[in-house]
Amino acid sequence: MQPAPFTRLSLYGLLALAPVVGGAQSVRKLGDGELSCAQIYAESQALEQASEAQRADALQAQRAMTDIQNQMVQQASGARGGMGSAIGGGLLGLIPGGAQVQGYAMQAAAEARRADMQDSVDKMMQATTRQMNAEQALERTQARSEHLADLFLKKDCKLSQVKAGADRPQ
């Protein structure tokens, strides 16, 4: 069996695939060059508001992860039996059939702890995914905003003129 042929892609070909592979929308759009200064400013303002919402969402997901982590630590520390369980187990051993009942009770308690821990792990995974998605969206928003700021400067736009034009009644 012969190895599959190796195909080389140029650097430009790899860069062209980057938005597709990353699943991200493109920071630069074909129509960006035709945007007016006022349109660039308006989109920049909208992106600023979107980035604030994305930061808040990422922070909320981080807090949820911390809460879940604390809950998991409490579950793990509560899983240990104490002196009471040792004394109770010893007393049940004196009753005929008590050891069997104790075994069933311990299995049921262990299964409940395992189910609680699995539920916490699932919640942690959801919070982690939510945080990662929010951070990726924030990165895309910031990159687009930086591109628009560069375009604003390259077009020699003046913020004072754009704001004065926005303040004028239509």
Side-chain angles (χ1 to χ4, degrees):
M1 184 182 230
Q2 293 195 359
F6 179 69
T7 305
R8 286 187 188 209
L9 288 176
S10 68
L11 177 61
Y12 295 113
L14 289 173
L15 291 176
L17 288 175
V20 175
V21 173
Q25 62 190 27
S26 180
V27 171
R28 298 169 190 241
K29 298 179 183 175
L30 291 176
D32 283 352
E34 298 173 8
L35 292 175
S36 69
C37 293
Q39 289 171 321
I40 294 171
Y41 178 72
E43 187 174 345
S44 295
Q45 293 299 105
L47 288 172
E48 184 63 32
Q49 291 174 351
S51 68
E52 288 175 15
Q54 291 162 345
R55 274 189 204 97
D57 191 36
L59 184 61
Q60 186 179 19
Q62 179 64 39
R63 286 183 184 143
M65 288 172 52
T66 302
D67 292 344
I68 294 167
Q69 185 178 15
N70 291 339
Q71 178 185 2
M72 291 173 76
V73 167
Q74 288 175 349
Q75 287 172 342
S77 65
R80 297 184 193 102
M83 180 65 128
S85 65
I87 293 172
L91 291 176
L92 276 176
L94 298 175
I95 302 171
Q100 188 176 12
V101 171
Q102 180 187 13
Y104 291 142
M106 289 175 65
Q107 285 178 347
E111 181 60 29
R113 283 192 304 271
R114 189 204 60 76
D116 286 345
M117 192 60 92
Q118 184 61 46
D119 185 48
S120 295
V121 168
D122 292 343
K123 287 179 185 177
M124 178 67 89
M125 293 300 293
Q126 291 171 354
T128 302
T129 301
R130 188 172 137 215
Q131 182 189 23
M132 288 175 51
N133 290 341
E135 287 178 356
Q136 288 173 351
L138 180 59
E139 287 175 11
R140 288 190 300 270
T141 301
Q142 288 174 336
R144 175 75 178 155
S145 182
E146 289 172 11
H147 167 66
L148 289 175
D150 290 342
L151 190 60
F152 191 84
L153 296 173
K154 284 180 184 174
K155 286 189 162 214
D156 202 27
C157 297
K158 304 290 183 222
L159 187 59
S160 58
Q161 293 172 348
V162 172
K163 284 186 175 181
D167 292 340
R168 273 189 244 141
Q170 301 281 335

